[in-house]
Amino acid sequence: MSENIKVAMTTGGVMEDRIEPGSALDRLTEQLEGVGKEQVRHSGRFSTVEDGLHGVRADVVQLRENITDVRQKVAGLEGAVSDTRQVLDTFIEQYGRDREVARAQAELARLTTVFQTDFAMRKQTRALARGLVHTLTAHAVRRKLVNTHTVRSCVEERLLLEPTYWLAPAIMAVAANFRDETAPGERAQAHACTLDAAKANLFFALTASRLGNEAEAAAWMDTYFQSLDPEELGQDFCVVLDAIASNELGEDALSYTRQAMAGWNQSMHRASAGGVQWGARLRSLRQQLYDKEYTALRETCAAQWDSLKHGWELATVPERTFAYLRHTFPDGPVGVDRPVSDGRHVETALERLINQLEPDEAHLHEQMRQLEGIIKHGGDLEAAAQATELPLGPGTEPVPFMTLLDQAVFAPDTARLGPSARRMALRAIWPSLENAADRVVAESRNHLPDQIILSVAGYSWTLPTHPNQIVEPGPLVDDLAARLEQETQARSDAVVRRWPRVCVALLFGIVTATLVVPFLDGASQYLFLLLTLIAVIWVLWEVCGVPLRKRNVREQGDQMRHAAVTTLAKALQQREDFFRKWHEGIQDREALTLWGEHFE
């Protein structure tokens, strides 16, 4: 029975094992069906999400297009704003300029009214002065074509209307001269000199010259020069100097002017520490040596060359100065015979003196000129300021006397003087120029040695520098060639076989070939074979290369001898030419003195 039970249990276990796989497949099938149902159920949601994403994508594309449109509109708006801003800036700038123009016009109208009110009378005074100083007026008064009482009334009225203007009492003095009234004329002259001494003195000098009274013109001109400040010469001085140099004011005025200019030059010459100005001018005329000149002499006396060069260049100053003065003043220091002057310089000087504005007038006139510049440039203050910085005309600024002399002699293109006036300037500074030339020549002599030392290839010779002491170049050249030949022969004789080196190289080769190479192989063997070969070549060179080395020494010696002999020959020739020109340059100082003898 127990066996039957075991059989039954065994059979039941087998059946359960057969049933379990089937149920697992059923469960898996059910799960798959469930997943399919879930997929079907969620597929609707996925479709909805995809539809939503398509809608979002469409919205994004539309939004991008809208943003692009907005960006374009913003760019257009920015351009419009920029254009508007530019128009507004232009309007503001133009408005500012128009406002400046309006202000300038109003201020100019006011200043013009002030000018007409305060200084209109001076215009009439100047017109009356031109009439009184004219030669025809003097003739008319003498022929009694003009009533002297009328002249007196006119000038007295001018004095009453312009009591502080120097020209009013000045023309009263001229009118008193027409009436032969000495005392009133002198009082009027004194009053005019009190108001402005320089202008009044010049006016009386020019008036006397125009009216033919040279003695009185010379006296007034002397007084005029005494009233001037040589550090600030006005614009009238150059014209006056031209008139005096052209002998338009007579010989006395010319003499007084020369004395005044000489005195100014002496006083300012002492103040300028010995006339450094003229010494610098003369030195600038010297001939300069370039590197390609006197190369052999420069090479053989290098230690002395800087001093020799400086002294030689200074020696050229007299000759170069003489050549410059002859070119600048081709008619000589005195010039040709002066023709009869037509008085144009006096007329020009007198006209400029009468038309010259007074300081108060000039200040007001300058303000009006600035305002006119603002109006002319349309309110552009910067352009107007640059335009008004330019001077009113040439010669408006005062110039120191020494600067005027320097321009007249050494820069005639910049000087506002004629040839006659420039010769007067040269006469005034001539003593200072001679002293400066003497100092330059003395300095040149200090640099001129009695002897120089030429050194070539280690040998030196002391030679004289005076051109009268002739030095024959042949013996010196032959001596140098002989010395260098001896040196070459000595070096050639020193080339011999160096037996110790031969023995050492031979021993090294034998030892290496017999005791080292047979016991080595590979790279070491080749290395010692190469060393043995080098030792053999060295032995052969030491034994057989002596003639070749002697020839090389001989060729080098010959080249050195040829170069040294050539250098010495050129140096001797250049030495003679160099010092001959040096002495001739120093002697040219006498020619400069002879040329300026007419100034004495």
Side-chain angles (χ1 to χ4, degrees):
M1 184 173 179
S2 58
E3 294 180 354
N4 292 333
I5 294 172
K6 292 181 179 179
V7 171
M9 291 178 63
T10 306
T11 305
V14 172
M15 292 181 65
E16 288 179 359
D17 293 336
R18 292 179 179 175
I19 293 173
E20 286 178 359
S23 61
L25 289 174
D26 292 339
R27 288 195 300 271
L28 181 61
T29 301
E30 291 177 358
Q31 291 178 357
L32 291 175
E33 290 177 355
V35 170
K37 292 178 180 180
E38 290 295 328
Q39 185 176 1
V40 172
R41 186 168 57 87
H42 289 290
S43 62
R45 295 181 181 179
F46 290 153
S47 299
T48 304
V49 172
E50 288 181 358
D51 294 339
L53 290 176
H54 286 298
V56 171
R57 186 178 296 110
D59 293 339
V60 170
V61 172
Q62 183 65 32
L63 180 60
R64 183 180 299 168
E65 293 177 354
N66 294 336
I67 291 175
T68 302
D69 294 338
V70 171
R71 185 178 298 167
Q72 293 176 354
K73 292 180 181 180
V74 169
L77 182 60
E78 288 179 353
V81 171
S82 178
D83 295 339
T84 304
R85 180 179 298 172
Q86 184 176 1
V87 172
L88 182 60
D89 292 341
T90 303
F91 173 77
I92 294 174
E93 182 180 359
Q94 186 62 39
Y95 175 76
R97 291 185 177 184
D98 293 341
R99 184 176 58 182
E100 293 296 335
V101 171
R103 289 179 179 178
Q105 290 175 342
E107 184 65 14
L108 180 61
R110 186 186 70 81
L111 294 182
T112 302
T113 302
V114 173
F115 191 84
Q116 294 293 335
T117 302
D118 295 344
F119 306 117
M121 296 299 177
R122 292 185 182 180
K123 184 176 180 180
Q124 300 178 8
T125 304
R126 293 186 177 104
L128 180 58
R130 294 190 196 95
L132 287 177
V133 299
H134 204 281
T135 307
L136 296 179
T137 302
H139 293 330
V141 171
R142 293 191 185 96
R143 291 198 301 263
K144 297 184 179 181
L145 296 177
V146 177
N147 191 344
T148 56
H149 295 286
T150 303
V151 174
R152 181 176 181 178
S153 300
C154 291
V155 297
E156 287 180 351
E157 180 183 5
R158 292 295 97 201
L159 181 60
L160 292 176
L161 295 175
E162 291 287 347
T164 60
Y165 185 30
W166 69 269
L167 191 57
I171 60 176
M172 178 175 286
V174 176
N177 185 28
F178 288 157
R179 294 172 55 86
D180 295 330
E181 296 177 348
T182 304
E186 292 178 351
R187 288 194 295 269
Q189 290 174 355
H191 183 50
C193 292
T194 301
L195 296 176
D196 196 324
K199 292 180 180 179
N201 292 327
L202 180 58
F203 177 79
F204 294 137
L206 297 176
T207 302
S209 174
R210 169 171 280 191
L211 298 178
N213 192 342
E214 293 186 355
E216 184 179 355
W220 280 111
M221 189 58 64
D222 185 29
T223 307
Y224 165 69
F225 280 113
Q226 294 177 7
S227 64
L228 290 179
D229 182 6
E231 291 291 346
E232 294 184 357
L233 297 178
Q235 56 182 332
D236 299 319
F237 182 79
C238 294
V239 183
V240 173
L241 196 60
D242 278 328
I244 296 173
S246 300
N247 204 23
E248 293 184 6
L249 279 78
E251 292 291 340
D252 292 340
L254 182 62
S255 177
Y256 290 151
T257 304
R258 288 174 178 173
Q259 293 177 7
M261 293 176 65
W264 289 347
N265 180 51
Q266 291 179 1
S267 61
M268 301 180 75
H269 181 74
R270 288 192 296 268
S272 61
V276 178
Q277 178 180 5
W278 308 127
R281 271 296 189 180
L282 294 185
R283 291 170 187 270
S284 66
L285 297 175
R286 72 186 187 276
Q287 178 182 348
Q288 296 184 358
L289 287 176
Y290 299 100
D291 294 338
K292 295 183 179 180
E293 297 182 90
Y294 299 104
T295 54
L297 183 61
R298 183 196 307 263
E299 180 181 352
T300 55
C301 58
Q304 297 175 280
W305 178 249
D306 290 338
S307 178
L308 295 176
K309 176 184 176 182
H310 182 66
W312 188 91
E313 290 179 348
L314 292 180
T316 63
V317 167
E319 189 276 331
R320 301 274 289 191
T321 303
F322 186 32
Y324 171 79
L325 293 178
R326 284 187 301 178
H327 174 74
T328 308
F329 302 95
D331 298 330
V334 180
V336 297
D337 294 336
R338 289 188 293 268
V340 179
S341 177
D342 55 0
R344 59 185 179 89
H345 292 102
V346 170
E347 182 178 355
T348 301
L350 192 56
E351 186 68 20
R352 292 183 62 173
L353 179 62
I354 293 174
N355 293 333
Q356 187 174 353
L357 299 178
E358 293 300 293
D360 51 357
E361 287 181 281
H363 177 68
L364 189 59
H365 186 268
E366 179 63 20
Q367 292 181 344
M368 295 171 64
R369 189 171 73 95
Q370 294 176 357
L371 295 173
E372 290 174 353
I374 295 175
I375 297 173
K376 179 180 178 181
H377 291 85
D380 190 347
L381 299 180
E382 184 177 355
Q386 293 178 356
T388 53
E389 286 178 359
L390 299 176
L392 293 174
T396 57
E397 296 296 329
V399 58
F401 178 67
M402 300 302 290
T403 302
L404 182 63
L405 293 182
D406 182 80
Q407 293 176 352
V409 178
F410 295 103
D413 295 336
T414 61
R416 304 183 300 273
L417 296 172
S420 300
R422 288 193 288 107
R423 273 191 291 269
M424 284 188 63
L426 179 60
R427 175 188 289 269
I429 67 172
W430 184 252
S432 301
L433 285 182
E434 285 192 319
N435 292 334
D438 290 337
R439 288 193 296 271
V440 170
V441 170
E443 184 177 354
S444 177
R445 290 183 186 275
N446 292 334
H447 287 273
L448 178 60
D450 296 331
Q451 294 177 336
I452 62 169
I453 299 176
L454 299 185
S455 299
V456 180
Y459 296 99
S460 300
W461 296 268
T462 302
L463 303 177
T465 61
H466 200 280
N468 293 336
Q469 298 178 351
I470 301 175
V471 176
E472 294 294 338
L476 297 179
V477 173
D478 294 340
D479 178 59
L480 178 62
R483 293 184 180 184
L484 294 178
E485 177 64 25
Q486 293 176 0
E487 287 187 0
T488 302
Q489 185 63 40
R491 288 198 301 270
S492 178
D493 295 339
V495 178
V496 295
R497 293 180 179 87
R498 291 165 289 191
W499 294 110
R501 296 186 181 183
V502 173
C503 295
V504 171
L506 185 60
L507 180 61
F508 176 79
I510 294 173
V511 171
T512 303
T514 58
L515 299 180
V516 178
V517 174
F519 300 100
L520 297 176
D521 56 359
S524 300
Q525 184 179 21
Y526 289 114
L527 176 60
F528 278 94
L529 284 175
L530 179 60
L531 294 176
T532 303
L533 180 60
I534 294 174
V536 173
I537 295 174
W538 191 2
V539 171
L540 294 177
W541 171 254
E542 288 292 338
V543 174
C544 303
V546 172
L548 181 59
R549 285 188 288 163
K550 285 181 175 290
R551 187 176 66 181
N552 290 335
V553 170
R554 173 63 61 181
E555 290 178 353
Q556 293 177 0
D558 292 341
Q559 293 177 359
M560 186 179 67
R561 184 178 68 255
H562 177 72
V565 167
T566 303
T567 301
L568 179 59
K570 290 182 178 180
L572 292 173
Q573 182 180 2
Q574 292 176 3
R575 179 204 66 86
E576 182 179 357
D577 179 71
F578 183 82
F579 289 103
R580 177 179 56 81
K581 290 184 178 180
W582 193 335
H583 284 84
E584 289 178 354
I586 293 176
Q587 294 174 359
D588 286 334
R589 173 66 183 88
E590 299 178 359
L592 190 64
T593 302
L594 293 176
W595 187 81
E597 281 184 349
H598 298 283
F599 289 143
E600 299 299 331

Coordinates of all heavy atoms in Angstrom, one line a residue, residues 341-383:
S341 N 67.5 161.6 -54.4 CA 66.3 160.9 -53.9 C 65.0 161.7 -54.2 O 65.0 162.9 -54.3 CB 66.4 160.8 -52.4 OG 65.3 160.1 -51.9
D342 N 64.0 160.9 -54.5 CA 62.7 161.5 -54.8 C 61.8 161.7 -53.5 O 60.7 162.1 -53.6 CB 61.9 160.6 -55.8 CG 61.8 159.2 -55.3 OD1 62.3 158.9 -54.2 OD2 61.2 158.4 -56.0
G343 N 62.3 161.3 -52.3 CA 61.6 161.5 -51.1 C 60.5 160.5 -50.8 O 59.7 160.7 -49.9
R344 N 60.5 159.4 -51.5 CA 59.4 158.4 -51.3 C 59.5 157.8 -50.0 O 58.4 157.5 -49.4 CB 59.4 157.4 -52.4 CG 60.7 156.6 -52.5 CD 60.7 155.6 -53.7 NE 62.0 154.9 -53.8 CZ 62.1 153.7 -53.2 NH1 61.1 153.2 -52.4 NH2 63.3 153.0 -53.3
H345 N 60.7 157.6 -49.4 CA 60.8 157.0 -48.1 C 60.2 157.9 -47.0 O 59.5 157.5 -46.1 CB 62.2 156.6 -47.8 CG 62.7 155.5 -48.6 ND1 63.5 155.7 -49.7 CD2 62.5 154.1 -48.6 CE1 63.8 154.5 -50.3 NE2 63.2 153.6 -49.6
V346 N 60.5 159.2 -47.2 CA 60.0 160.2 -46.2 C 58.5 160.3 -46.3 O 57.8 160.3 -45.3 CB 60.7 161.6 -46.5 CG1 59.9 162.6 -45.7 CG2 62.1 161.6 -46.1
E347 N 58.0 160.2 -47.5 CA 56.6 160.3 -47.7 C 55.9 159.1 -47.1 O 54.9 159.2 -46.4 CB 56.2 160.4 -49.2 CG 54.7 160.5 -49.5 CD 54.5 160.6 -50.9 OE1 55.4 160.7 -51.7 OE2 53.3 160.6 -51.3
T348 N 56.5 157.9 -47.3 CA 55.9 156.7 -46.7 C 56.0 156.7 -45.2 O 55.0 156.3 -44.5 CB 56.7 155.5 -47.3 OG1 56.6 155.4 -48.7 CG2 56.1 154.2 -46.7
A349 N 57.1 157.1 -44.7 CA 57.2 157.2 -43.2 C 56.3 158.2 -42.6 O 55.6 157.9 -41.6 CB 58.7 157.5 -42.8
L350 N 56.1 159.3 -43.2 CA 55.2 160.3 -42.7 C 53.7 159.9 -42.8 O 53.0 160.1 -41.8 CB 55.4 161.6 -43.5 CG 54.7 162.9 -42.9 CD1 55.2 163.1 -41.5 CD2 55.0 164.1 -43.8
E351 N 53.4 159.2 -43.9 CA 52.0 158.7 -44.0 C 51.7 157.6 -43.0 O 50.7 157.6 -42.4 CB 51.8 158.1 -45.4 CG 50.4 157.7 -45.7 CD 49.4 158.9 -45.8 OE1 49.9 160.0 -46.0 OE2 48.2 158.7 -45.6
R352 N 52.7 156.7 -42.7 CA 52.5 155.7 -41.7 C 52.4 156.3 -40.3 O 51.6 155.8 -39.5 CB 53.6 154.6 -41.8 CG 53.6 153.8 -43.1 CD 54.7 152.8 -43.1 NE 54.5 151.8 -42.0 CZ 55.2 150.7 -41.8 NH1 56.2 150.4 -42.7 NH2 55.0 149.9 -40.8
L353 N 53.2 157.3 -40.1 CA 53.2 157.9 -38.8 C 51.9 158.6 -38.5 O 51.3 158.4 -37.4 CB 54.3 158.9 -38.7 CG 54.5 159.6 -37.3 CD1 54.7 158.7 -36.2 CD2 55.6 160.7 -37.4
I354 N 51.3 159.3 -39.5 CA 50.1 160.0 -39.3 C 48.9 159.0 -39.1 O 48.0 159.2 -38.3 CB 49.8 160.9 -40.5 CG1 50.9 162.1 -40.5 CG2 48.4 161.5 -40.4 CD1 50.8 163.0 -41.7
N355 N 48.9 157.9 -39.9 CA 47.8 156.9 -39.9 C 47.9 156.0 -38.7 O 47.0 155.2 -38.5 CB 47.8 156.1 -41.2 CG 47.4 157.0 -42.4 OD1 46.7 158.0 -42.2 ND2 47.9 156.6 -43.6
Q356 N 49.0 156.0 -38.0 CA 49.2 155.0 -36.9 C 48.2 155.2 -35.8 O 48.0 156.4 -35.3 CB 50.6 155.1 -36.4 CG 51.0 154.0 -35.4 CD 52.4 154.0 -35.0 OE1 53.2 154.8 -35.5 NE2 52.8 153.2 -34.0
L357 N 47.5 154.2 -35.4 CA 46.5 154.3 -34.3 C 47.2 154.4 -33.0 O 48.2 153.8 -32.7 CB 45.6 153.0 -34.4 CG 44.8 152.8 -35.6 CD1 44.0 151.5 -35.5 CD2 43.9 153.9 -36.0
E358 N 46.5 155.1 -32.1 CA 46.9 155.3 -30.7 C 46.6 154.0 -30.0 O 45.7 153.2 -30.4 CB 46.3 156.5 -30.1 CG 46.8 157.8 -30.7 CD 48.3 158.0 -30.6 OE1 48.8 158.1 -29.4 OE2 49.0 157.9 -31.6
P359 N 47.2 153.8 -28.8 CA 46.9 152.6 -28.0 C 45.4 152.4 -27.7 O 44.9 151.2 -27.9 CB 47.7 152.7 -26.7 CG 48.8 153.6 -27.1 CD 48.2 154.6 -28.2
D360 N 44.7 153.4 -27.4 CA 43.2 153.3 -27.1 C 42.5 152.9 -28.4 O 41.6 152.1 -28.4 CB 42.7 154.5 -26.4 CG 43.0 155.8 -27.2 OD1 43.8 155.7 -28.2 OD2 42.6 156.9 -26.8
E361 N 42.9 153.6 -29.5 CA 42.2 153.3 -30.7 C 42.6 151.8 -31.2 O 41.7 151.1 -31.7 CB 42.7 154.2 -31.8 CG 42.2 155.6 -31.8 CD 42.7 156.5 -32.9 OE1 43.8 156.9 -32.8 OE2 42.0 156.6 -33.9
A362 N 43.8 151.5 -31.0 CA 44.2 150.1 -31.5 C 43.5 149.0 -30.7 O 43.1 148.0 -31.3 CB 45.8 150.0 -31.3
H363 N 43.3 149.2 -29.4 CA 42.6 148.2 -28.6 C 41.2 148.1 -29.1 O 40.7 147.0 -29.2 CB 42.6 148.6 -27.1 CG 41.9 147.7 -26.2 ND1 42.3 146.4 -26.0 CD2 40.7 147.9 -25.5 CE1 41.4 145.8 -25.2 NE2 40.5 146.7 -24.9
L364 N 40.5 149.2 -29.3 CA 39.1 149.2 -29.8 C 39.1 148.6 -31.2 O 38.1 147.8 -31.5 CB 38.5 150.6 -29.7 CG 37.0 150.7 -30.0 CD1 36.2 149.8 -28.9 CD2 36.5 152.1 -29.9
H365 N 40.0 149.0 -32.0 CA 40.0 148.4 -33.4 C 40.3 146.9 -33.4 O 39.7 146.2 -34.2 CB 41.1 149.2 -34.2 CG 41.1 148.8 -35.6 ND1 41.9 147.8 -36.1 CD2 40.5 149.4 -36.7 CE1 41.7 147.7 -37.4 NE2 40.9 148.7 -37.8
E366 N 41.1 146.4 -32.5 CA 41.4 145.0 -32.4 C 40.1 144.3 -32.0 O 39.8 143.2 -32.5 CB 42.5 144.7 -31.4 CG 42.8 143.3 -31.2 CD 43.3 142.6 -32.4 OE1 43.8 143.3 -33.4 OE2 43.3 141.4 -32.5
Q367 N 39.3 144.8 -31.0 CA 38.1 144.2 -30.6 C 37.1 144.2 -31.8 O 36.4 143.1 -32.0 CB 37.4 145.0 -29.5 CG 38.2 144.8 -28.2 CD 37.5 145.6 -27.0 OE1 36.7 146.5 -27.3 NE2 37.9 145.3 -25.8
M368 N 37.0 145.2 -32.6 CA 36.2 145.3 -33.7 C 36.6 144.2 -34.8 O 35.8 143.6 -35.4 CB 36.1 146.7 -34.3 CG 35.5 147.7 -33.4 SD 35.7 149.4 -34.0 CE 34.8 149.4 -35.5
R369 N 37.9 144.1 -34.9 CA 38.4 143.1 -35.9 C 38.0 141.7 -35.5 O 37.7 140.8 -36.3 CB 39.9 143.2 -36.0 CG 40.6 142.4 -37.1 CD 42.0 142.8 -37.3 NE 42.8 142.3 -36.3 CZ 43.5 141.1 -36.3 NH1 43.4 140.4 -37.4 NH2 44.2 140.7 -35.3
Q370 N 38.1 141.4 -34.2 CA 37.7 140.1 -33.7 C 36.2 139.8 -33.9 O 35.8 138.7 -34.4 CB 38.0 140.0 -32.2 CG 39.5 140.0 -31.9 CD 39.8 139.9 -30.4 OE1 38.9 139.9 -29.6 NE2 41.1 139.9 -30.1
L371 N 35.4 140.9 -33.7 CA 34.0 140.7 -34.0 C 33.7 140.5 -35.4 O 32.8 139.7 -35.8 CB 33.2 141.9 -33.4 CG 33.3 142.1 -31.9 CD1 32.6 143.4 -31.5 CD2 32.6 140.9 -31.2
E372 N 34.4 141.2 -36.3 CA 34.2 141.1 -37.7 C 34.6 139.7 -38.2 O 34.0 139.1 -39.1 CB 35.0 142.1 -38.5 CG 34.5 143.5 -38.3 CD 35.4 144.6 -39.0 OE1 36.6 144.1 -39.4 OE2 35.1 145.7 -39.0
G373 N 35.6 139.1 -37.5 CA 36.0 137.7 -37.8 C 34.9 136.8 -37.4 O 34.7 135.8 -38.2
I374 N 34.3 137.0 -36.3 CA 33.2 136.1 -35.9 C 32.1 136.1 -36.9 O 31.5 135.1 -37.3 CB 32.7 136.4 -34.5 CG1 33.8 136.2 -33.4 CG2 31.5 135.7 -34.1 CD1 33.5 136.6 -32.0
I375 N 31.7 137.3 -37.3 CA 30.7 137.5 -38.3 C 31.1 136.9 -39.6 O 30.3 136.2 -40.3 CB 30.3 139.0 -38.5 CG1 29.8 139.5 -37.2 CG2 29.3 139.2 -39.6 CD1 29.6 141.0 -37.2
K376 N 32.3 137.1 -40.0 CA 32.8 136.5 -41.3 C 32.8 135.0 -41.3 O 32.4 134.4 -42.4 CB 34.2 137.0 -41.6 CG 34.8 136.5 -42.9 CD 36.2 137.1 -43.0 CE 36.8 136.5 -44.3 NZ 38.2 137.0 -44.5
H377 N 33.1 134.4 -40.2 CA 33.1 132.9 -40.1 C 31.8 132.3 -39.7 O 31.8 131.1 -39.3 CB 34.3 132.4 -39.2 CG 35.6 132.7 -39.8 ND1 36.3 133.9 -39.6 CD2 36.4 131.9 -40.5 CE1 37.4 133.8 -40.2 NE2 37.6 132.7 -40.8
G378 N 30.8 133.1 -39.7 CA 29.4 132.6 -39.4 C 29.3 132.1 -37.9 O 28.5 131.2 -37.7
G379 N 29.9 132.7 -37.0 CA 29.8 132.4 -35.6 C 30.7 131.3 -35.1 O 30.6 130.9 -34.0
D380 N 31.6 130.8 -36.0 CA 32.6 129.8 -35.6 C 33.7 130.4 -34.8 O 34.6 131.1 -35.4 CB 33.1 129.1 -36.8 CG 33.9 127.8 -36.5 OD1 34.3 127.7 -35.3 OD2 34.3 127.0 -37.4
L381 N 33.6 130.3 -33.5 CA 34.5 131.0 -32.6 C 36.0 130.5 -32.8 O 36.9 131.3 -32.7 CB 34.1 130.9 -31.1 CG 32.7 131.4 -30.8 CD1 32.4 131.2 -29.3 CD2 32.6 132.9 -31.1
E382 N 36.1 129.2 -33.0 CA 37.5 128.6 -33.1 C 38.1 129.1 -34.4 O 39.3 129.6 -34.4 CB 37.4 127.1 -33.1 CG 38.8 126.4 -33.2 CD 38.7 124.9 -33.1 OE1 37.5 124.4 -33.0 OE2 39.7 124.3 -33.3
A383 N 37.4 129.1 -35.5 CA 38.0 129.6 -36.8 C 38.3 131.1 -36.7 O 39.3 131.6 -37.2 CB 37.0 129.3 -37.9

